[in-house]
Amino acid sequence: MLQSYGPMLLPPGVAVTYPTGESVKGDAQGHNLGYAFIRSVRQANVQSPWILNFQSNASPKATVRIHRLSPMDGTQFVGQAP
């Protein structure tokens, strides 16, 4: 079952400075700044393989299928990104 992780895919408490232009690259205190753009993050403990399908309603239709095979014991994160 998915549980809330936080507002973004960075460890809690990491201060983020977003880029404001080409010459101001932003900062996430040594973490990958890209994780700050993944929002509404939820997490779940995963102990077995699974398959996830994403399907668009737009034209042309598209589908992405993700297979998680290993590791079998860990945490899976799901979020929204631009």
Side-chain angles (χ1 to χ4, degrees), residues 30-51:
H31 297 274
N32 185 328
L33 181 62
Y35 292 144
F37 293 96
I38 301 174
R39 303 298 183 124
S40 302
V41 179
R42 296 173 289 160
Q43 65 180 349
N45 290 327
V46 178
Q47 298 178 357
S48 62
W50 55 262
I51 298 172

Side-chain angles (χ1 to χ4, degrees), residues 14-64:
V14 173
V16 175
T17 304
Y18 290 98
T20 56
E22 292 181 23
S23 61
V24 182
K25 63 180 184 171
D27 183 69
Q29 296 182 318
H31 297 274
N32 185 328
L33 181 62
Y35 292 144
F37 293 96
I38 301 174
R39 303 298 183 124
S40 302
V41 179
R42 296 173 289 160
Q43 65 180 349
N45 290 327
V46 178
Q47 298 178 357
S48 62
W50 55 262
I51 298 172
L52 180 63
N53 292 310
F54 292 97
Q55 190 169 22
S56 72
N57 292 324
S59 181
K61 298 254 184 215
T63 300
V64 174

